Amino acid sequence: MLPFLTQMRLEDATHEYAELTKKLLKGIENLSSLREEDIEIGVTPKEVVYKEDKVVLYRFQPAVEKPLGIPVLIVYALVNRPFMVDLQENRSLVANLLKLGLDVYLIDWGYPTRADRWLTLDDYINGYINNCVDAIRQKHELDKINLLGICQGGTFSLCYSSLYPEKVKNLIVMVAPVDFYMPKALLNMRGGCSLGSEALDIDLMVEALGNIPGDFLNLEFLMLKPRQLGIQKYLDFPEIAGSEDKVLNFLRMEKWIFDSPDQAGEAYRQFLKEFYQQNKLIKGEIEIGEGKVNLNNLKMPILNLYAEKDHLVPPESSLALEKYVGTDDYTVHSFPVGHIGMYVSGKVQRDLPPTIVDWLTARSE
């Protein structure tokens, strides 16, 4: 007889089976009563203030009578939807920033279609981001606004701030990759920071597919932690099935994870080849349109936020920023979580928003 069977009493096994059955029945009851609108994400009230092609600029409804005079524009990554910063009422970076007195804007990149196959980083940075910044500057009659760039959006914000320093008052980057040569990080390896025969053939991918499917990127991210992200969380589901709140949290995360836009082919090609494979950002060799990105042009105050257990953007990749910027007002702050924990961890949501607001308030003059 197998050892574990000899150690399990019949009454214990029966009790565990009964408890599991109760949880599953409660879970079925919870799932059958949920509606599509119950798992809605991006719930904080907002209005459209600018539209261009598929890009939409939102302004969230301020939560205080007199918000900080200089608004902040959140620039999210092209990968995944930007509403991870506003996942649900009690787990929303946006809602917490509003409560602490910020005036918050957000760029929604939309869903690229075949018509967007030829969009480049020039279109995204010199086009969409710059036009959104100008729309906010015009609305508030300001020369400069604050930028908060997240993940790939943080890298874009670094490029933008280098090209348009006269329009950026303060720059915050959060879990943003800067030094892409991270040979021990799986995402960087698969992105191709190794060259030669092992490198991902980006040109072949783009030529064959046009836009890069969001499902491909999803699979790539899941394969970084296949057991945890692809199997274990579903095995653990019966343990939370009896709680409607936990089921809703689970489903909102699932909805966000698998709601992945395709990537415009040319923009994807340039980002993977020049940032990942050739690590041009820290070399000062990135060209966006007719402008060259030089991180030394970043003379404005910078707050660099990173996650200590980030498996997508290793801390070393973000921390490299300090070596290349030209500002004397540089602050770095870490949080003991992974990449996603920066958005959904209760402890981080307690500490992160005041860190941002206090830092901006001290530099609001």
Side-chain angles (χ1 to χ4, degrees), residues 209-365:
L209 299 172
N211 288 345
I212 304 302
D215 288 341
F216 168 82
L217 298 174
N218 254 332
L219 181 63
E220 183 179 23
F221 291 130
L222 291 177
M223 287 301 100
L224 297 177
K225 289 187 173 182
R227 182 176 182 277
Q228 178 181 343
L229 301 177
I231 300 173
Q232 191 62 50
K233 65 177 180 179
Y234 299 114
L235 293 177
D236 292 339
F237 183 76
E239 293 298 322
I240 66 168
S243 167
E244 183 175 328
D245 286 343
K246 290 181 179 178
V247 169
L248 282 171
N249 289 345
F250 179 86
L251 292 177
R252 290 190 185 105
M253 278 298 298
E254 289 291 283
K255 181 176 182 177
W256 177 79
I257 288 171
F258 291 103
D259 184 11
S260 297
D262 295 345
Q263 302 292 295
E266 289 307 313
Y268 182 85
R269 187 204 304 265
Q270 185 180 4
F271 193 71
L272 266 289
K273 291 186 71 171
E274 298 190 7
F275 287 79
Y276 273 94
Q277 292 188 342
Q278 298 168 26
N279 206 16
K280 285 185 172 182
L281 179 62
I282 61 173
K283 298 175 183 174
E285 297 174 357
I286 292 290
E287 293 185 5
I288 306 293
E290 297 179 354
K292 181 169 282 192
V293 174
N294 182 352
L295 294 178
N296 193 252
N297 288 345
L298 303 178
K299 311 291 187 187
M300 70 287 293
I302 295 176
L303 173 60
N304 187 358
L305 304 166
Y306 71 96
E308 296 169 9
K309 302 174 183 177
D310 198 330
H311 73 291
L312 296 177
V313 180
E316 296 82 1
S317 178
S318 297
L319 287 169
L321 180 62
E322 184 175 9
K323 292 186 289 185
Y324 302 100
V325 295
T327 182
D328 294 326
D329 188 349
Y330 178 86
T331 307
V332 64
H333 195 105
S334 70
F335 294 86
V337 292
H339 196 80
I340 302 300
M342 289 291 278
Y343 313 102
V344 299
S345 161
K347 185 174 184 302
V348 172
Q349 281 310 305
R350 183 193 68 194
D351 299 336
L352 175 61
T355 299
I356 292 173
V357 175
D358 291 347
W359 186 83
L360 283 177
T361 302
R363 293 159 180 80
S364 60
E365 296 299 325

Side-chain angles (χ1 to χ4, degrees), residues 153-188:
T155 309
F156 286 2
S157 297
L158 291 170
C159 295
Y160 180 81
S161 300
S162 168
L163 297 171
Y164 300 91
E166 73 279 6
K167 299 184 183 183
V168 181
K169 173 74 172 175
N170 300 294
L171 173 61
I172 302 170
V173 288
M174 188 168 114
V175 291
V178 178
D179 183 350
F180 288 78
Y181 186 71
M182 293 287 139
K184 294 182 180 179
L186 276 179
L187 182 63
N188 295 64

Side-chain angles (χ1 to χ4, degrees), residues 130 133-134 137 143-145 160 164-169:
N130 191 39
V133 169
D134 283 348
R137 292 170 62 233
D143 293 329
K144 300 181 179 183
I145 66 168
Y160 180 81
Y164 300 91
E166 73 279 6
K167 299 184 183 183
V168 181
K169 173 74 172 175

